[in-house]
Amino acid sequence: MWEIIVDKDKCTGDEECVNACPAQVFEMRDGKAEPVDSEECLGCETCVEICPEDAITVTEI
Ligand code: SF4
C-alpha cells in the first residue's frame, strides 16, 4: 500500500499527475489534484517526478 499526499498549498492544478498516473489515481476536485484511488497506486513515483511544484509525496505504508 502507498500513501499519496498532495500539498494543496503547492498544487496549481496543472493536471500533470492526473494525466501521467498509469493507475488513474488522481481526479481534479475544486481545481486541485486529489488522490481518490490510492489503493490502485503502483508506487512508481511518476507523479512525484512530473509535478513541477513538488506537491506530491508517495510513501509505502
Ligand atoms: S506513484 Fe505512480 S501509480 Fe502511484 S499515484 Fe503516483 S503516478 Fe500514480
Side-chain angles (χ1 to χ4, degrees):
M1 284 286 293
W2 301 87
E3 181 181 52
I4 304 143
I5 296 173
V6 177
D7 185 332
K8 295 288 167 56
D9 292 331
K10 290 183 177 175
C11 180
T12 59
D14 63 14
E15 301 189 39
E16 293 279 355
C17 59
V18 177
N19 296 323
C21 175
Q24 281 94 47
V25 165
F26 300 96
E27 279 183 9
M28 294 303 290
R29 299 242 172 114
D30 297 326
K32 308 275 183 177
E34 180 85 26
V36 294
D37 269 324
S38 298
E39 64 274 15
E40 299 295 327
C41 178
L42 310 168
C44 66
E45 300 201 5
T46 300
C47 55
V48 175
E49 289 162 18
I50 207 166
C51 178
E53 311 303 330
D54 289 328
I56 306 174
T57 54
V58 176
T59 311
E60 190 162 20
I61 53 174

